[in-house]
Amino acid sequence: MFTKHKSWHRYTLLALSFMMLWSCNVVKRVKDGDHLIIRNTILEDSVQVTNERINNIISQKVNSGMRKYFSTPLKLHIYNLARPNIDSILNANILSDSTKVKRRIALLSKKQFDKQIEMRRNFNAWLKRTGEAPVIYDEDQTIKTAKNLRKYYYSKGWFNNQVTYDVEKDSNKYAKVTYKVTKNKPYILDSLRPVISSSAIDSVYPKFIKSTLLKKGEQFDEQNYENERERINTYLRNTGFYHFGQDYIRFEMDTIGTNHKVHTDLIIANRTIRGDDSTTTTPFKIYKIKEVNIYTDDNFNNRFKAISDTTTYKGINLYSKEKLKFRPKALTDAVFINEGDHYSDLARSRTSRYLNDLQMFRYPNIDFIENEADTSLIANIFLEPKKKYSLSFDPEINTSNIQTIGFSFSTGLKIRNVFRGAETLEISGIAAIGASKTRNDLEDSFFDINEFGGNVRLTIPRLFSPFNTDKIIPKYMSPSTVLNLSATSQQNIGLDKQAISGVYSYNWYPSKTVTNTLELLNINFVKNLNTSNYFGVYTNSFSSLNTIAQDINYIGDDESLFDSSLSNSYAPADIFINNVLEGNTSLTSNDDDYVTVNNIEERKERLTENNLIVSSSFDYIKDKRKNIFDNDFSVFKMRLELAGNLLSSISSVAGATKNDAGNYEVFGVAFSQYIKTEIDYVKYVDLGRQNVLAFRSYAGIAIPFGNSNSIPFAESFFAGGPNDNRAWTAYNLGPGSSQSTNEFNEANFKIHLSAEQRFSLFGAFQGAIFVDAGNIWNVLDNVTDEGATFTDFNSLKDIAVGSGFGIRYDFDFFVLRFDIGFKTYDPSLDENKRWFKEYNFKNAVYNIGINYPF
């Protein structure tokens, strides 16, 4: 033990010494008389500012990693490895010496010699390009920063602020810059006076000013004025003012002799019309929609054809140059621009969004034709339908932990507007064959794994319901109905399965950030075909049985419960289980080995039984991420599922009989009954300069009741893996503090927490340090193992903690991720031996993944 600690301290001291020596070289490329900026500090009334927004005002920021991550500016060190005068060095050391050149050419060849020289130049250029040049103190940039800080604090209401700076330089060529901000007394909003030129806008002023962002008594903030301009512009553009724009709004402020009060004039000017050689002004007017036209087949090929099919539905005119292929209602339901309504940007954008969501047309276009005589607009919607049929093919070659090689082929047919209501029908199928790694009989066919499946999916762009749901879920939420049917058959993959499923669901989008999905009916039936191979899949369970049988002399030390001569090679294992549980061996119910055998049998029964799940569920997702480059957002997901209630009620009302286990059956299968809920929250915090702090919290529970005393395997939870607790492999963590040896550990309750800091290293390489915590437990089911069950809050001491670091490479369209997780707190060990007992590279888990874990 002493030797291990001594080695650890030696390695730590060596690493720290190396980093100190490396850090001493940061001014390697700093010229005499220049100074490397190592610290920028902003003091606001003598208090250091940590706000990222304010610190980003500094023009000359320190090098990446300076005073962070053990004071190791990695990019600067990479840049310092480059030679600033590589051509002069090559010329002085090699090219100027003709004898040396001739000798190397004789040794390599002229072509290889030239390539070697060019390679050294290219590598030197790569170091400069990948690295980061030292940030040298510049007085002009410091003055610029001071001016920008003054502007910033001025924009926040401190009109009389003062900004000074101090520069501390030392003999090590280091410079530290401190900016000192004195805010002084702020200015407060006092009055808002409208000066509106157009009478039509003046008439609606009382309506839109109620929600003003400029509140009397609040401190002046320039951003509030910008937001107010946008708000007023949006209101007027949605109230019929077709020609209005944000440039017509301006604010004039008076602060002279007001005792730190701000008097504001809200000025909205008349419309400016610019001609070829003159400019006129006229009051803004409200425009109404006079007519709405939809051109259903507008494309380049039929641009010269005449309209041949015309119809009107709900006041909207539909024109087609060929026979109208859509039912009128399917198109008019997507239009929010109505005859007689005021012009509205919102109606226009909703129409465009809905038409795009239909996935029937290429780039829908909406144009408005103005009629100045009666201030009306004609709305023309031009649609170019996509091809009715599209076919896809996807061949694959793959390997896995269960097959040497596999070939798969999937194909899909998409049919648009299948029933003339803008519906989409998708038919897909998959066929796969593979060679099993466990294939022992050479007389069997080489490809002994196969999978076949098919899927039919119909998407209807509205809620398919006997009731009118427009008041509950308006059409601007882009509601749709999905009917999905699928069937698959697998052989020699685990227990061999056949599965049939059907889903009837509604989807709608209340806002840009929220997605709702209601599965009214989800039917899933799974039939296990090769249950006799259970111990061939779950080999750890078989090994435990075999060891127990040998220990109690049920079989000899050289014998096995496996008999390859039998059609069911694992039949002896099943017989042994029955003998133990029926009291035909030396084991009694008080023996630990008896309990182990009983647990193995219960697990086997649960994992080999056929499953019938009839459920309903609701999913809510709120995703505030604006785009793929946004690193300051949150995502909240919630799911609630109820299974078996419908079948249980029907069985009870119909007076159906129960089986020996006291459960109702449908077609000979005991259906599952449970309630399941999941909550998932992810938060990203942008710390600036490609530095992101990410958090995730997740909780899920599935409680069996009524017709079930356990959860189907497919609905249970697992822990570990590259997207979970990365210090454990998938399915290897838990349940609770149990020392399970099962290949797949699962339970019906889960807690997971993660925190990860991501930062840029160099080029496309990124780094991360992380901490993962969580576990799975059994709760309110038929599992009685104390170590595996969650009894009360004391069970939280069994939350496993993993920590580690990772390196990622950003390919723009995806991120390749490599993480190393170390078991920091292992609940499966004795309570006094759980912290840092296997915290080393030998026991670490190495994860490779695509994209971020959350």
Side-chain angles (χ1 to χ4, degrees), residues 87-116:
D87 289 328
S88 299
I89 293 172
L90 290 174
N91 186 65
N93 294 341
I94 301 174
L95 299 178
S96 62
D97 189 338
S98 59
T99 302
K100 185 180 292 185
V101 171
K102 289 180 181 179
R103 187 165 56 248
R104 293 201 177 187
I105 290 177
L107 181 64
L108 298 173
S109 80
K110 180 66 167 62
K111 183 178 181 181
Q112 289 182 335
F113 173 76
D114 292 342
K115 185 177 291 186
Q116 187 182 72

PDB file of all heavy atoms in Angstrom, residues 87-116:
ATOM      1  N   ASP A  87      12.187  29.308 -43.238  1.00  0.00           N
ATOM      2  CA  ASP A  87      12.950  29.312 -44.493  1.00  0.00           C
ATOM      3  C   ASP A  87      14.409  29.654 -44.243  1.00  0.00           C
ATOM      4  O   ASP A  87      15.317  29.045 -44.840  1.00  0.00           O
ATOM      5  CB  ASP A  87      12.323  30.299 -45.482  1.00  0.00           C
ATOM      6  CG  ASP A  87      10.996  29.805 -46.026  1.00  0.00           C
ATOM      7  OD1 ASP A  87      10.839  28.575 -46.161  1.00  0.00           O
ATOM      8  OD2 ASP A  87      10.118  30.635 -46.313  1.00  0.00           O
ATOM      9  N   SER A  88      14.667  30.630 -43.381  1.00  0.00           N
ATOM     10  CA  SER A  88      16.048  31.000 -43.067  1.00  0.00           C
ATOM     11  C   SER A  88      16.777  29.855 -42.377  1.00  0.00           C
ATOM     12  O   SER A  88      17.963  29.593 -42.654  1.00  0.00           O
ATOM     13  CB  SER A  88      16.062  32.244 -42.174  1.00  0.00           C
ATOM     14  OG  SER A  88      15.457  33.334 -42.822  1.00  0.00           O
ATOM     15  N   ILE A  89      16.055  29.146 -41.473  1.00  0.00           N
ATOM     16  CA  ILE A  89      16.662  28.020 -40.758  1.00  0.00           C
ATOM     17  C   ILE A  89      17.005  26.895 -41.715  1.00  0.00           C
ATOM     18  O   ILE A  89      18.111  26.317 -41.665  1.00  0.00           O
ATOM     19  CB  ILE A  89      15.718  27.534 -39.644  1.00  0.00           C
ATOM     20  CG1 ILE A  89      15.587  28.604 -38.573  1.00  0.00           C
ATOM     21  CG2 ILE A  89      16.203  26.225 -39.038  1.00  0.00           C
ATOM     22  CD1 ILE A  89      14.543  28.297 -37.528  1.00  0.00           C
ATOM     23  N   LEU A  90      16.068  26.566 -42.608  1.00  0.00           N
ATOM     24  CA  LEU A  90      16.323  25.498 -43.584  1.00  0.00           C
ATOM     25  C   LEU A  90      17.479  25.872 -44.498  1.00  0.00           C
ATOM     26  O   LEU A  90      18.317  25.031 -44.854  1.00  0.00           O
ATOM     27  CB  LEU A  90      15.060  25.228 -44.404  1.00  0.00           C
ATOM     28  CG  LEU A  90      13.908  24.559 -43.662  1.00  0.00           C
ATOM     29  CD1 LEU A  90      12.665  24.496 -44.554  1.00  0.00           C
ATOM     30  CD2 LEU A  90      14.303  23.146 -43.231  1.00  0.00           C
ATOM     31  N   ASN A  91      17.532  27.134 -44.869  1.00  0.00           N
ATOM     32  CA  ASN A  91      18.598  27.575 -45.764  1.00  0.00           C
ATOM     33  C   ASN A  91      19.950  27.540 -45.058  1.00  0.00           C
ATOM     34  O   ASN A  91      20.955  27.099 -45.627  1.00  0.00           O
ATOM     35  CB  ASN A  91      18.296  28.994 -46.265  1.00  0.00           C
ATOM     36  CG  ASN A  91      19.293  29.444 -47.310  1.00  0.00           C
ATOM     37  OD1 ASN A  91      19.365  28.884 -48.398  1.00  0.00           O
ATOM     38  ND2 ASN A  91      20.072  30.471 -46.983  1.00  0.00           N
ATOM     39  N   ALA A  92      19.976  27.998 -43.784  1.00  0.00           N
ATOM     40  CA  ALA A  92      21.237  28.048 -43.049  1.00  0.00           C
ATOM     41  C   ALA A  92      21.740  26.659 -42.690  1.00  0.00           C
ATOM     42  O   ALA A  92      22.947  26.386 -42.761  1.00  0.00           O
ATOM     43  CB  ALA A  92      21.054  28.892 -41.783  1.00  0.00           C
ATOM     44  N   ASN A  93      20.812  25.744 -42.305  1.00  0.00           N
ATOM     45  CA  ASN A  93      21.219  24.431 -41.809  1.00  0.00           C
ATOM     46  C   ASN A  93      21.379  23.382 -42.900  1.00  0.00           C
ATOM     47  O   ASN A  93      22.132  22.410 -42.721  1.00  0.00           O
ATOM     48  CB  ASN A  93      20.203  23.919 -40.784  1.00  0.00           C
ATOM     49  CG  ASN A  93      20.183  24.769 -39.531  1.00  0.00           C
ATOM     50  OD1 ASN A  93      21.123  25.504 -39.249  1.00  0.00           O
ATOM     51  ND2 ASN A  93      19.102  24.665 -38.770  1.00  0.00           N
ATOM     52  N   ILE A  94      20.683  23.555 -44.025  1.00  0.00           N
ATOM     53  CA  ILE A  94      20.709  22.489 -45.043  1.00  0.00           C
ATOM     54  C   ILE A  94      21.006  23.035 -46.433  1.00  0.00           C
ATOM     55  O   ILE A  94      22.009  22.686 -47.061  1.00  0.00           O
ATOM     56  CB  ILE A  94      19.371  21.732 -45.046  1.00  0.00           C
ATOM     57  CG1 ILE A  94      19.075  21.110 -43.681  1.00  0.00           C
ATOM     58  CG2 ILE A  94      19.370  20.650 -46.127  1.00  0.00           C
ATOM     59  CD1 ILE A  94      17.714  20.467 -43.570  1.00  0.00           C
ATOM     60  N   LEU A  95      20.122  23.912 -46.934  1.00  0.00           N
ATOM     61  CA  LEU A  95      20.147  24.282 -48.344  1.00  0.00           C
ATOM     62  C   LEU A  95      21.406  25.046 -48.738  1.00  0.00           C
ATOM     63  O   LEU A  95      21.855  24.973 -49.895  1.00  0.00           O
ATOM     64  CB  LEU A  95      18.906  25.120 -48.677  1.00  0.00           C
ATOM     65  CG  LEU A  95      17.555  24.418 -48.464  1.00  0.00           C
ATOM     66  CD1 LEU A  95      16.394  25.353 -48.783  1.00  0.00           C
ATOM     67  CD2 LEU A  95      17.472  23.160 -49.318  1.00  0.00           C
ATOM     68  N   SER A  96      22.007  25.808 -47.808  1.00  0.00           N
ATOM     69  CA  SER A  96      23.207  26.576 -48.144  1.00  0.00           C
ATOM     70  C   SER A  96      24.464  25.710 -48.215  1.00  0.00           C
ATOM     71  O   SER A  96      25.490  26.143 -48.722  1.00  0.00           O
ATOM     72  CB  SER A  96      23.407  27.697 -47.120  1.00  0.00           C
ATOM     73  OG  SER A  96      23.604  27.153 -45.827  1.00  0.00           O
ATOM     74  N   ASP A  97      24.385  24.502 -47.689  1.00  0.00           N
ATOM     75  CA  ASP A  97      25.533  23.585 -47.687  1.00  0.00           C
ATOM     76  C   ASP A  97      25.357  22.598 -48.830  1.00  0.00           C
ATOM     77  O   ASP A  97      24.597  21.618 -48.719  1.00  0.00           O
ATOM     78  CB  ASP A  97      25.615  22.869 -46.338  1.00  0.00           C
ATOM     79  CG  ASP A  97      26.895  22.067 -46.182  1.00  0.00           C
ATOM     80  OD1 ASP A  97      27.507  21.713 -47.215  1.00  0.00           O
ATOM     81  OD2 ASP A  97      27.266  21.777 -45.020  1.00  0.00           O
ATOM     82  N   SER A  98      26.005  22.837 -49.960  1.00  0.00           N
ATOM     83  CA  SER A  98      25.834  21.984 -51.151  1.00  0.00           C
ATOM     84  C   SER A  98      26.266  20.551 -50.887  1.00  0.00           C
ATOM     85  O   SER A  98      25.668  19.600 -51.422  1.00  0.00           O
ATOM     86  CB  SER A  98      26.629  22.568 -52.326  1.00  0.00           C
ATOM     87  OG  SER A  98      28.013  22.666 -51.990  1.00  0.00           O
ATOM     88  N   THR A  99      27.297  20.374 -50.053  1.00  0.00           N
ATOM     89  CA  THR A  99      27.756  19.005 -49.744  1.00  0.00           C
ATOM     90  C   THR A  99      26.678  18.246 -48.985  1.00  0.00           C
ATOM     91  O   THR A  99      26.380  17.076 -49.264  1.00  0.00           O
ATOM     92  CB  THR A  99      29.043  19.059 -48.900  1.00  0.00           C
ATOM     93  OG1 THR A  99      30.038  19.795 -49.614  1.00  0.00           O
ATOM     94  CG2 THR A  99      29.556  17.653 -48.625  1.00  0.00           C
ATOM     95  N   LYS A 100      26.072  18.901 -48.013  1.00  0.00           N
ATOM     96  CA  LYS A 100      25.009  18.264 -47.230  1.00  0.00           C
ATOM     97  C   LYS A 100      23.799  17.947 -48.112  1.00  0.00           C
ATOM     98  O   LYS A 100      23.183  16.889 -47.991  1.00  0.00           O
ATOM     99  CB  LYS A 100      24.599  19.173 -46.074  1.00  0.00           C
ATOM    100  CG  LYS A 100      23.588  18.549 -45.118  1.00  0.00           C
ATOM    101  CD  LYS A 100      23.213  19.497 -43.991  1.00  0.00           C
ATOM    102  CE  LYS A 100      24.375  19.730 -43.061  1.00  0.00           C
ATOM    103  NZ  LYS A 100      23.982  20.563 -41.870  1.00  0.00           N
ATOM    104  N   VAL A 101      23.496  18.868 -49.032  1.00  0.00           N
ATOM    105  CA  VAL A 101      22.366  18.638 -49.934  1.00  0.00           C
ATOM    106  C   VAL A 101      22.625  17.429 -50.823  1.00  0.00           C
ATOM    107  O   VAL A 101      21.763  16.566 -51.011  1.00  0.00           O
ATOM    108  CB  VAL A 101      22.089  19.899 -50.782  1.00  0.00           C
ATOM    109  CG1 VAL A 101      21.063  19.591 -51.864  1.00  0.00           C
ATOM    110  CG2 VAL A 101      21.596  21.035 -49.897  1.00  0.00           C
ATOM    111  N   LYS A 102      23.852  17.363 -51.407  1.00  0.00           N
ATOM    112  CA  LYS A 102      24.187  16.232 -52.288  1.00  0.00           C
ATOM    113  C   LYS A 102      24.144  14.914 -51.535  1.00  0.00           C
ATOM    114  O   LYS A 102      23.672  13.894 -52.051  1.00  0.00           O
ATOM    115  CB  LYS A 102      25.576  16.452 -52.889  1.00  0.00           C
ATOM    116  CG  LYS A 102      25.634  17.565 -53.929  1.00  0.00           C
ATOM    117  CD  LYS A 102      27.052  17.722 -54.466  1.00  0.00           C
ATOM    118  CE  LYS A 102      27.125  18.858 -55.489  1.00  0.00           C
ATOM    119  NZ  LYS A 102      28.511  19.042 -56.003  1.00  0.00           N
ATOM    120  N   ARG A 103      24.634  14.920 -50.292  1.00  0.00           N
ATOM    121  CA  ARG A 103      24.644  13.697 -49.497  1.00  0.00           C
ATOM    122  C   ARG A 103      23.237  13.210 -49.210  1.00  0.00           C
ATOM    123  O   ARG A 103      22.940  12.019 -49.288  1.00  0.00           O
ATOM    124  CB  ARG A 103      25.430  13.947 -48.205  1.00  0.00           C
ATOM    125  CG  ARG A 103      25.645  12.669 -47.382  1.00  0.00           C
ATOM    126  CD  ARG A 103      26.714  12.837 -46.314  1.00  0.00           C
ATOM    127  NE  ARG A 103      26.439  13.951 -45.416  1.00  0.00           N
ATOM    128  CZ  ARG A 103      27.171  15.064 -45.371  1.00  0.00           C
ATOM    129  NH1 ARG A 103      28.211  15.225 -46.174  1.00  0.00           N
ATOM    130  NH2 ARG A 103      26.853  16.030 -44.518  1.00  0.00           N
ATOM    131  N   ARG A 104      22.343  14.122 -48.885  1.00  0.00           N
ATOM    132  CA  ARG A 104      20.956  13.727 -48.581  1.00  0.00           C
ATOM    133  C   ARG A 104      20.221  13.272 -49.837  1.00  0.00           C
ATOM    134  O   ARG A 104      19.399  12.361 -49.786  1.00  0.00           O
ATOM    135  CB  ARG A 104      20.214  14.888 -47.914  1.00  0.00           C
ATOM    136  CG  ARG A 104      20.752  15.214 -46.543  1.00  0.00           C
ATOM    137  CD  ARG A 104      19.748  15.967 -45.725  1.00  0.00           C
ATOM    138  NE  ARG A 104      20.225  16.221 -44.372  1.00  0.00           N
ATOM    139  CZ  ARG A 104      19.502  16.745 -43.409  1.00  0.00           C
ATOM    140  NH1 ARG A 104      18.234  17.085 -43.656  1.00  0.00           N
ATOM    141  NH2 ARG A 104      20.002  16.947 -42.205  1.00  0.00           N
ATOM    142  N   ILE A 105      20.496  13.943 -50.973  1.00  0.00           N
ATOM    143  CA  ILE A 105      19.853  13.516 -52.221  1.00  0.00           C
ATOM    144  C   ILE A 105      20.328  12.124 -52.613  1.00  0.00           C
ATOM    145  O   ILE A 105      19.535  11.284 -53.076  1.00  0.00           O
ATOM    146  CB  ILE A 105      20.152  14.540 -53.342  1.00  0.00           C
ATOM    147  CG1 ILE A 105      19.405  15.846 -53.065  1.00  0.00           C
ATOM    148  CG2 ILE A 105      19.758  13.974 -54.708  1.00  0.00           C
ATOM    149  CD1 ILE A 105      19.702  16.941 -54.075  1.00  0.00           C
ATOM    150  N   ALA A 106      21.600  11.853 -52.397  1.00  0.00           N
ATOM    151  CA  ALA A 106      22.133  10.527 -52.706  1.00  0.00           C
ATOM    152  C   ALA A 106      21.503   9.464 -51.806  1.00  0.00           C
ATOM    153  O   ALA A 106      21.271   8.325 -52.220  1.00  0.00           O
ATOM    154  CB  ALA A 106      23.660  10.523 -52.545  1.00  0.00           C
ATOM    155  N   LEU A 107      21.223   9.862 -50.569  1.00  0.00           N
ATOM    156  CA  LEU A 107      20.641   8.922 -49.622  1.00  0.00           C
ATOM    157  C   LEU A 107      19.145   8.723 -49.864  1.00  0.00           C
ATOM    158  O   LEU A 107      18.624   7.602 -49.750  1.00  0.00           O
ATOM    159  CB  LEU A 107      20.874   9.431 -48.192  1.00  0.00           C
ATOM    160  CG  LEU A 107      20.355   8.553 -47.048  1.00  0.00           C
ATOM    161  CD1 LEU A 107      21.099   7.214 -47.041  1.00  0.00           C
ATOM    162  CD2 LEU A 107      20.531   9.258 -45.710  1.00  0.00           C
ATOM    163  N   LEU A 108      18.442   9.810 -50.209  1.00  0.00           N
ATOM    164  CA  LEU A 108      16.980   9.741 -50.331  1.00  0.00           C
ATOM    165  C   LEU A 108      16.495   9.727 -51.777  1.00  0.00           C
ATOM    166  O   LEU A 108      15.618   8.946 -52.142  1.00  0.00           O
ATOM    167  CB  LEU A 108      16.352  10.954 -49.617  1.00  0.00           C
ATOM    168  CG  LEU A 108      16.606  11.071 -48.120  1.00  0.00           C
ATOM    169  CD1 LEU A 108      16.061  12.399 -47.601  1.00  0.00           C
ATOM    170  CD2 LEU A 108      15.964   9.916 -47.371  1.00  0.00           C
ATOM    171  N   SER A 109      17.002  10.576 -52.629  1.00  0.00           N
ATOM    172  CA  SER A 109      16.594  10.890 -54.000  1.00  0.00           C
ATOM    173  C   SER A 109      16.138  12.345 -53.991  1.00  0.00           C
ATOM    174  O   SER A 109      15.695  12.880 -52.956  1.00  0.00           O
ATOM    175  CB  SER A 109      15.467  10.002 -54.530  1.00  0.00           C
ATOM    176  OG  SER A 109      14.210  10.421 -54.062  1.00  0.00           O
ATOM    177  N   LYS A 110      16.261  12.998 -55.133  1.00  0.00           N
ATOM    178  CA  LYS A 110      15.916  14.408 -55.251  1.00  0.00           C
ATOM    179  C   LYS A 110      14.446  14.640 -54.900  1.00  0.00           C
ATOM    180  O   LYS A 110      14.089  15.591 -54.195  1.00  0.00           O
ATOM    181  CB  LYS A 110      16.180  14.879 -56.681  1.00  0.00           C
ATOM    182  CG  LYS A 110      15.854  16.360 -56.931  1.00  0.00           C
ATOM    183  CD  LYS A 110      16.773  17.271 -56.162  1.00  0.00           C
ATOM    184  CE  LYS A 110      16.678  18.710 -56.648  1.00  0.00           C
ATOM    185  NZ  LYS A 110      15.375  19.306 -56.480  1.00  0.00           N
ATOM    186  N   LYS A 111      13.568  13.755 -55.360  1.00  0.00           N
ATOM    187  CA  LYS A 111      12.137  13.915 -55.118  1.00  0.00           C
ATOM    188  C   LYS A 111      11.817  13.807 -53.632  1.00  0.00           C
ATOM    189  O   LYS A 111      11.069  14.623 -53.083  1.00  0.00           O
ATOM    190  CB  LYS A 111      11.362  12.867 -55.911  1.00  0.00           C
ATOM    191  CG  LYS A 111       9.863  12.989 -55.792  1.00  0.00           C
ATOM    192  CD  LYS A 111       9.168  11.956 -56.651  1.00  0.00           C
ATOM    193  CE  LYS A 111       7.656  12.080 -56.550  1.00  0.00           C
ATOM    194  NZ  LYS A 111       6.963  11.051 -57.384  1.00  0.00           N
ATOM    195  N   GLN A 112      12.391  12.810 -52.963  1.00  0.00           N
ATOM    196  CA  GLN A 112      12.125  12.633 -51.535  1.00  0.00           C
ATOM    197  C   GLN A 112      12.741  13.757 -50.709  1.00  0.00           C
ATOM    198  O   GLN A 112      12.176  14.186 -49.693  1.00  0.00           O
ATOM    199  CB  GLN A 112      12.654  11.278 -51.069  1.00  0.00           C
ATOM    200  CG  GLN A 112      11.838  10.092 -51.586  1.00  0.00           C
ATOM    201  CD  GLN A 112      12.379   8.770 -51.068  1.00  0.00           C
ATOM    202  OE1 GLN A 112      13.555   8.661 -50.736  1.00  0.00           O
ATOM    203  NE2 GLN A 112      11.524   7.772 -51.020  1.00  0.00           N
ATOM    204  N   PHE A 113      13.903  14.245 -51.132  1.00  0.00           N
ATOM    205  CA  PHE A 113      14.542  15.356 -50.427  1.00  0.00           C
ATOM    206  C   PHE A 113      13.672  16.606 -50.484  1.00  0.00           C
ATOM    207  O   PHE A 113      13.436  17.266 -49.465  1.00  0.00           O
ATOM    208  CB  PHE A 113      15.915  15.639 -51.056  1.00  0.00           C
ATOM    209  CG  PHE A 113      16.583  16.871 -50.500  1.00  0.00           C
ATOM    210  CD1 PHE A 113      17.177  16.866 -49.246  1.00  0.00           C
ATOM    211  CD2 PHE A 113      16.602  18.048 -51.239  1.00  0.00           C
ATOM    212  CE1 PHE A 113      17.785  18.011 -48.737  1.00  0.00           C
ATOM    213  CE2 PHE A 113      17.202  19.195 -50.743  1.00  0.00           C
ATOM    214  CZ  PHE A 113      17.800  19.174 -49.487  1.00  0.00           C
ATOM    215  N   ASP A 114      13.167  16.919 -51.694  1.00  0.00           N
ATOM    216  CA  ASP A 114      12.291  18.088 -51.834  1.00  0.00           C
ATOM    217  C   ASP A 114      11.017  17.928 -51.009  1.00  0.00           C
ATOM    218  O   ASP A 114      10.522  18.882 -50.403  1.00  0.00           O
ATOM    219  CB  ASP A 114      11.940  18.306 -53.307  1.00  0.00           C
ATOM    220  CG  ASP A 114      13.142  18.745 -54.133  1.00  0.00           C
ATOM    221  OD1 ASP A 114      14.134  19.213 -53.539  1.00  0.00           O
ATOM    222  OD2 ASP A 114      13.096  18.596 -55.373  1.00  0.00           O
ATOM    223  N   LYS A 115      10.492  16.687 -51.000  1.00  0.00           N
ATOM    224  CA  LYS A 115       9.269  16.442 -50.239  1.00  0.00           C
ATOM    225  C   LYS A 115       9.521  16.604 -48.739  1.00  0.00           C
ATOM    226  O   LYS A 115       8.669  17.120 -48.000  1.00  0.00           O
ATOM    227  CB  LYS A 115       8.748  15.034 -50.550  1.00  0.00           C
ATOM    228  CG  LYS A 115       7.408  14.723 -49.889  1.00  0.00           C
ATOM    229  CD  LYS A 115       6.900  13.353 -50.290  1.00  0.00           C
ATOM    230  CE  LYS A 115       6.491  13.321 -51.749  1.00  0.00           C
ATOM    231  NZ  LYS A 115       5.851  12.024 -52.113  1.00  0.00           N
ATOM    232  N   GLN A 116      10.697  16.189 -48.274  1.00  0.00           N
ATOM    233  CA  GLN A 116      11.028  16.320 -46.851  1.00  0.00           C
ATOM    234  C   GLN A 116      11.121  17.791 -46.446  1.00  0.00           C
ATOM    235  O   GLN A 116      10.626  18.193 -45.383  1.00  0.00           O
ATOM    236  CB  GLN A 116      12.342  15.605 -46.563  1.00  0.00           C
ATOM    237  CG  GLN A 116      12.693  15.537 -45.081  1.00  0.00           C
ATOM    238  CD  GLN A 116      14.022  14.873 -44.854  1.00  0.00           C
ATOM    239  OE1 GLN A 116      15.062  15.457 -45.161  1.00  0.00           O
ATOM    240  NE2 GLN A 116      14.009  13.661 -44.321  1.00  0.00           N
TER     241      GLN A 116
END
